[in-house]
């Protein structure tokens, strides 16, 4: 976000001269036509023709047209307007779509209304109408807002169709290769141009990416996982424990878990198939799991590293093991386990080779504790804390990897120090990420404890604060070491400007710090 202030902070009515105006700029997926520089040039010409003085600039310089929560500059603009901090009487925007390609046209209209209510007139400099509130301008504006939303929907359809076409041609579409495989960049003739490291991307639009077998030791480990599962009857958790005991790590350098072993056992890329659209996240809507009939599949397009018969045998075992149990069957199964062992736990459940897994039971009933209650089993202590911890442990690696991937996508470089676990960004500063669980006091208030790595001295500590229930993220605190000299922070819902100045609804401010800027942009 860029903000430029004029030395005179009074309203234009406080002095004679040009009308004071702010400008709002937003980058889009288009190239030159809608770059922020060209928007600023067009707005500057408009201001000069109409005798306006631009005293402030709000600029969202990331691709963020569909949602407000990724647009800190627009949020700041609205806050300035509604809280009486605006020192201008007019807001200049390139066109209607720059305010946002919101899927609900009322959303962009609402933000304009908030400006008008604060006495700030909004003018669209490149539109063929004057935003004077007349019926013709209102109708045209409504049409343009609808067109802006339609553009995003049409673009989403076209991009998806293009991705499906490339998948059917055997080309990889995004995402890491996975353990035992590597991404190979090829040109339009199919000639191999070299392997891509994690975080690297193809540099030419005409290049494509395919999957190739990885190092021999990783291939042997993948094949061993299948033998242990199919021939030896080992469960995923047992296989993970065995690999960890031998010091074998995943492609991310992390210990194996039952879920990562399960991914190896169920992903068709290991038999050479290219599968796409298992999950959808279109137009920033809720992520959904698609049924198999909607998957896009190309068979035999990569070199397989697992025998297809072993793969089919593994799928048959998984299907049989996870067949659809009724609620009554699951509860009867738990009663039988309790009678046999005298207690119940996730370990007891998962070590049983028949019946649903502990994860399946959690998914069906919401938690193991709820299932226990339905059969009258009292574990003798409050396991809610353990359930929350299990969820947060599963969630933590994903949060870290998503954060680092976003930094790399913006051109930044990350390096994890093996001993300390700190992440070094661009060889400029170190980063530590912690998750703060939400605790509820007896009075019903919410509290969070943030434990800082004072012994490791990271330059910035990113505290992910969980919402009540500890299933969703509430917000983030970016805590610089220079201002933090304690090992533990105890937070309430509101903490005053001394701490809440570091509070953000997203990590976009952190990503701004890590973004690499081309030299030509700053010269």
């Amino acid at each position: 976000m860029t903000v430029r202030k004029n030395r005179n902070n009074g309203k234009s009515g406080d002095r004679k001269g040009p009308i004071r105006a702010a400008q709002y700029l937003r980058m889009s997926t288009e190239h030159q036509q809608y770059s922020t520089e060209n928007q600023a040039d067009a707005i500057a010409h408009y201001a000069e023709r109409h005798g306006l003085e631009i005293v402030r600039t709000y600029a969202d310089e990331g691709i963020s047209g569909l949602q407000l929560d990724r647009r800190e500059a627009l949020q700041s603009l609205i806050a300035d307007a509604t809280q009486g901090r605006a020192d201008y009487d007019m807001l200049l925007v390139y066109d209607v779509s720059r305010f946002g390609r919101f899927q609900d046209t009322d959303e962009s209209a609402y933000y304009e209304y908030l400006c008008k209510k604060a006495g700030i007139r909004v003018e669209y400099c490149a539109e063929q109408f004057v935003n004077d509130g007349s019926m013709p301008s209102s109708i045209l504006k409504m049409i343009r807002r609808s067109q802006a939303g339609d553009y995003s929907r049409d673009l989403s359809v076209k991009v998806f169709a293009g991705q499906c076409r490339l998948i059917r041609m055997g080309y990889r579409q995004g995402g890491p290769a996975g353990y035992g495989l590597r991404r190979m960049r090829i040109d339009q003739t199919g000639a191999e141009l070299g392997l891509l490291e994690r975080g690297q991307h193809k540099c030419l639009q005409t290049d494509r990416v395919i999957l190739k077998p990885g190092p021999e030791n990783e291939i042997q480990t993948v094949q061993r996982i299948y033998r242990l599962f199919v021939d030896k009857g080992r469960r995923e958790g047992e296989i993970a424990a065995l690999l960890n005991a031998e010091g074998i790590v995943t492609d991310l350098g992390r210990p194996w878990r039952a879920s990562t072993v399960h991914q190896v056992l169920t992903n068709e890329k290991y038999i050479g198939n290219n599968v796409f659209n298992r999950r959808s996240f279109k137009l920033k809507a809720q992520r959904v799991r698609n049924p198999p009939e909607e998957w896009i599949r190309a068979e035999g397009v990569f070199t397989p590293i697992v025998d297809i018969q072993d793969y089919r045998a593994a799928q048959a075992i998984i299907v049989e093991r996870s067949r659809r149990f009724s609620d009554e069957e699951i509860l009867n199964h738990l009663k039988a386990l309790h009678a046999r062992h005298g207690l119940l736990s996730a370990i007891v459940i998962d070590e049983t080779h028949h019946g649903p897994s502990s994860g399946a039971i959690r998914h069906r009933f919401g938690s193991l504790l709820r299932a226990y209650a339905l059969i009258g089993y009292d574990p003798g202590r409050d396991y809610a804390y353990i359930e929350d911890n299990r969820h947060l442990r599963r969630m933590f690696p994903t949060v870290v990897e998503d954060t680092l991937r976003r930094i790399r996508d913006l051109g930044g470089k990350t390096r994890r120090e093996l001993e300390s676990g700190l992440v070094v960004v661009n060889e400029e500063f170190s980063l530590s990420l912690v998750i703060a669980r939400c605790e509820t006091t007896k009075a019903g208030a919410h509290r969070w404890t943030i434990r800082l790595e004072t012994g490791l001295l990271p330059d910035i500590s990113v505290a992910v604060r969980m919402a009540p229930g500890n299933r969703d993220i509430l917000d983030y605190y970016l805590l610089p070491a220079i201002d933090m000299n304690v090992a533990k922070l105890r937070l309430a819902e509101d903490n005053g400007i001394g701490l809440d100045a570091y509070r953000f609804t997203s990590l976009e401010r952190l990503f701004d710090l890590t973004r690499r800027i081309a030299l030509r942009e700053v010269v």
Side-chain angles (χ1 to χ4, degrees), residues 74-87:
L74 183 56
Q75 294 178 48
S76 179
L77 188 162
I78 298 300
D80 288 348
T82 57
Q83 297 174 22
R85 297 195 299 263
D87 56 348

Side-chain angles (χ1 to χ4, degrees), residues 7 40 54 59 90 102 119 130-131 165 198 210 217 219 274 338 347 368 398 414 455 474 519:
R7 292 182 180 178
I54 299 175
M90 184 176 291
F102 300 106
V130 178
N131 193 20
R165 180 177 62 84
R198 175 172 290 275
I210 61 173
N217 64 310
I219 294 175
N274 203 10
H338 180 229
I347 294 176
L368 289 180
T398 301
T414 62
L474 177 64
L519 182 62

Side-chain angles (χ1 to χ4, degrees), residues 124-271:
Y124 301 105
C125 304
E127 298 289 1
Q128 300 301 311
F129 60 85
V130 178
N131 193 20
D132 56 4
S134 64
M135 182 177 293
S137 70
S138 298
I139 293 174
L140 287 173
K141 189 164 53 176
M142 180 181 65
I143 293 173
R144 293 288 286 123
R145 284 176 179 148
S146 179
Q147 289 173 335
D150 286 342
Y151 174 86
S152 294
R153 287 188 289 271
D154 291 344
L155 183 61
S156 176
V157 171
K158 293 176 181 177
V159 169
F160 179 72
Q163 290 174 321
C164 293
R165 180 177 62 84
L166 293 175
I167 287 294
R168 294 187 178 99
M169 294 173 66
Y171 300 129
R172 179 77 172 173
Q173 288 294 292
Y179 189 83
L181 298 168
R182 293 295 184 269
R183 294 179 303 145
M184 172 65 71
R185 182 166 64 96
I186 63 174
D187 64 18
Q188 55 191 344
T189 67
E192 296 184 352
L193 302 176
L195 294 175
L196 293 171
E197 299 295 331
R198 175 172 290 275
Q200 288 185 332
H201 303 279
K202 63 185 182 69
C203 52
L204 296 179
Q205 191 171 7
T206 55
D207 288 349
R208 296 287 177 252
V209 176
I210 61 173
L211 292 185
K212 298 281 287 186
E216 185 61 30
N217 64 310
E218 291 189 16
I219 294 175
Q220 291 178 1
T221 298
V222 171
Q223 294 170 346
R224 182 185 176 199
I225 288 173
Y226 275 83
R227 289 197 302 272
L228 289 169
F229 186 78
V230 174
D231 299 334
K232 303 297 184 181
R234 300 288 186 90
R235 295 179 71 92
E236 290 93 327
E238 296 175 294
I239 298 173
L242 179 62
L243 296 177
N244 292 332
E246 296 177 0
I248 300 173
V249 296
T250 68
D251 54 316
L252 298 178
R254 300 171 183 161
W256 288 85
R257 297 183 299 171
S259 59
T260 49
V261 172
H262 187 77
Q263 290 172 3
V264 171
L265 290 169
T266 56
N267 202 309
E268 294 184 37
K269 63 188 176 185
Y270 291 106
I271 57 171

Side-chain angles (χ1 to χ4, degrees), residues 42-71:
I43 291 174
H45 289 312
Y46 181 94
E48 183 178 359
R49 291 197 308 270
H50 292 83
L52 308 175
E53 178 187 8
I54 299 175
V55 299
R56 184 168 297 189
T57 295
Y58 300 88
D60 278 315
E61 296 178 345
I63 300 171
S64 54
L66 294 177
Q67 292 179 317
L68 181 65
D69 58 6
R70 294 182 58 195
R71 299 169 60 183

Side-chain angles (χ1 to χ4, degrees), residues 457-471:
L457 298 177
D459 296 308
I460 298 176
S461 295
V462 180
V464 182
R465 201 163 67 151
M466 300 301 294
N470 291 302
R471 290 300 181 268

Side-chain angles (χ1 to χ4, degrees), residues 265-293:
L265 290 169
T266 56
N267 202 309
E268 294 184 37
K269 63 188 176 185
Y270 291 106
I271 57 171
N273 293 350
N274 203 10
V275 182
F276 180 66
N277 198 41
R278 293 188 180 192
R279 292 177 177 84
S280 296
F281 188 45
K282 296 177 181 177
L283 296 174
K284 310 303 181 184
Q286 184 177 2
R287 192 180 300 273
V288 297
R289 188 188 299 269
N290 295 322
E293 57 267 22

